[in-house]
Amino acid sequence: MKTAFITGISGQDGSYLAEHLLDLDYRVVAMMRRSATQSVSRFAHIADRIEIVHGDLLDQASLMRLLTDCQPDEIYNLAAQSFVHASFDEPIHTGEVTGLGVMRMLEAVRLCAPKARFYQASSSEMFGKVHEVPQSENTPFHPRSPYGVAKVYGHWATLNYRESYDMYACSGILFNHESPRRGLEFVTRKISDHVAAIVCGEKDGLALGNLDAQRDWGFAGDYIKAMHLMLQQDEPDDYVVATNETHTVREFCEIAFGHVGLDYNDFVSIDPKYYRPAEVELLLGDATKAKEKLGWEPEVNFRGLVEMMVDYDLKRRIDQGATCQRGSLPEALA
Ligand code: NAP
Ligand code: F7E
């Protein structure tokens, strides 16, 4: 039985990855940081099948202690301050966790578990003000936020440790991936949750920022499979993971509201407080390498993703007794 060590278990990707690895008969050891409120909701359904250990990307000693104890075969570094907007408000903290945190993990691996295979959660935000369309593993980086800058640092640190110490270290350059477990602060989940709240009469509108931003959005449940595949190859490498399609925030709204028989124009307003000091206008990934070398392809398409998220946010309200006050319930929930 292989052992996997995951950081960021309480986040969106951590829970999907842990589920996938359990299905593949891994022993899963997962790190959480101590906090006043334990956010276990995303993995509560598998909590009795994984080993939760406590550590923090800010605390080098905790990482070294955990890897020494666990001696994993595979390490997935998913933990980060991952909200781009917040990185403008907390740039130093974002740099410490999302950037230097990767270096702390790499040092812990090098010193305490050098044979382990390492996955770093890199991001399409590194492409930022894009130099070409679509973006591939060879596209130059031009980050547009403290988050993007920190991810570039973590990305290069991963490559540097691979080259310097012959470590099996991979960087997955993942484009936006979403799910019903996405944090409510990200635009996709903010929209799906508001649509459900509007249908149930809990809210009357939705304030957003830049509706023209374009993203290559996929389903998190598909993307975590690519992470695992990267660590099963003969040689470590870096891969773009994307759907090869781009859509605007406006299109996301159109489909989400349309799914419940509403027109987004009647509910969406613009609030400049959601604009960012520098915006990433267009992301479109070229995942040809992942397809050819890993045999990876996304299964959920854009419309399927939007509808899955709206259905989830509606269903959890209906299960708690809410009823349809506006628009119409999708067929599956009617
Ligand atoms: P997420 O939901 O925001 O989860 C982030 C996780 O990091 C949470 O479990 C959080 O724990 C943990 N964390 C934050 N600070 C920490 C610290 N100092 N020490 C230890 N753990 C800490 O993110 P996600 O969407 O699952 O994304 C997973 C990774 O992929 C992240 O690195 C993200 O930057 C990257 N990424 C995401 C996307 C995407 O579209 N989702 C795309 C590309 C790359 P708490 O619960 O304690 O806050
Ligand atoms: O914004 C626009 C916003 O916050 C998407 C993270 O997982 O993916 C994510 O970063 C777009 C931006 O995600 C609102 O300006 C408009 O253009 O959902 P988001 P993100 O910034 O793309 C990358 C790949 C990561 O690595 C990150 O960790 O939507 N937008 N109105 C809005 N965004 C938000 N959050 N809220 C709004 O009201």
Side-chain angles (χ1 to χ4, degrees), residues 245 282 303 308 331:
E245 267 185 42
L282 162 68
R303 177 174 289 277
M308 175 203 301
E331 219 170 276

Side-chain angles (χ1 to χ4, degrees), residues 82 84 123-124 147 176 182 185 187 190 209 213 215 276 279:
S82 78
V84 172
S123 165
S124 53
Y147 170 81
N176 298 54
R182 186 56 142 155
E185 66 274 37
V187 77
K190 181 174 169 183
R215 290 291 183 277
R276 295 166 183 188
E279 174 66 289

Side-chain angles (χ1 to χ4, degrees), residues 89-326:
D89 297 329
E90 297 186 6
I92 312 297
H93 174 74
T94 302
E96 283 286 356
V97 178
T98 306
L100 267 179
V102 184
M103 192 64 99
R104 292 191 192 96
M105 278 300 292
L106 287 164
E107 270 296 90
V109 178
R110 181 176 77 86
L111 295 169
C112 307
K115 297 219 160 48
R117 295 185 167 203
F118 179 80
Y119 173 85
Q120 166 56 17
S122 287
S123 165
S124 53
E125 280 294 299
M126 301 190 302
F127 298 123
K129 192 171 167 64
V130 297
H131 288 210
E132 60 183 6
V133 181
Q135 298 88 47
S136 74
E137 294 79 7
N138 302 318
T139 304
F141 299 141
H142 188 149
R144 295 274 280 171
S145 65
Y147 170 81
V149 171
K151 281 290 179 188
V152 171
Y153 179 88
H155 176 81
W156 284 116
T158 303
L159 268 71
N160 179 251
Y161 270 53
R162 178 164 84 213
E163 293 170 1
S164 304
Y165 304 114
D166 203 23
M167 281 168 46
Y168 190 109
C170 298
S171 174
I173 307 174
L174 271 54
F175 282 62
N176 298 54
H177 45 280
E178 320 292 315
S179 73
R181 296 184 203 165
R182 186 56 142 155
L184 287 162
E185 66 274 37
F186 298 95
V187 77
T188 55
R189 185 76 196 291
K190 181 174 169 183
I191 297 168
S192 67
D193 189 58
H194 274 74
V195 166
I198 288 167
V199 168
C200 297
E202 292 167 19
K203 286 198 165 80
D204 295 320
L206 164 62
L208 293 171
N210 179 10
L211 296 186
D212 297 318
Q214 291 172 267
R215 290 291 183 277
D216 181 330
W217 276 298
F219 172 51
D222 287 341
Y223 284 37
I224 54 88
K225 292 180 185 164
M227 298 175 185
H228 174 254
L229 287 169
M230 284 179 217
L231 298 198
Q232 314 310 313
Q233 306 306 306
D234 290 339
E235 298 294 332
D237 208 342
D238 310 312
Y239 298 87
V240 159
V241 178
T243 69
N244 307 58
E245 267 185 42
T246 192
H247 298 273
T248 59
V249 173
R250 190 185 304 281
E251 282 174 80
F252 197 105
C253 289
E254 265 167 14
I255 295 180
F257 279 90
H259 188 48
V260 294
L262 298 174
D263 181 343
Y264 83 95
N265 288 298
D266 297 334
F267 299 94
V268 172
S269 60
I270 302 299
D271 186 335
K273 84 174 176 200
Y274 296 113
Y275 292 154
R276 295 166 183 188
E279 174 66 289
V280 172
E281 298 290 351
L282 162 68
L283 291 174
L284 172 61
D286 174 358
T288 306
K289 181 174 168 184
K291 184 176 179 186
E292 288 177 354
K293 296 207 168 167
L294 304 178
W296 178 86
E297 277 191 90
E299 287 174 23
V300 177
N301 66 19
F302 180 63
R303 177 174 289 277
L305 174 68
V306 180
E307 294 182 353
M308 175 203 301
M309 293 176 71
V310 172
D311 285 350
Y312 173 82
D313 282 319
L314 263 175
K315 184 169 185 316
R316 73 192 170 88
R317 286 181 166 79
I318 289 168
D319 286 349
Q320 287 165 8
T323 54
C324 181
Q325 307 287 319
R326 279 199 200 95

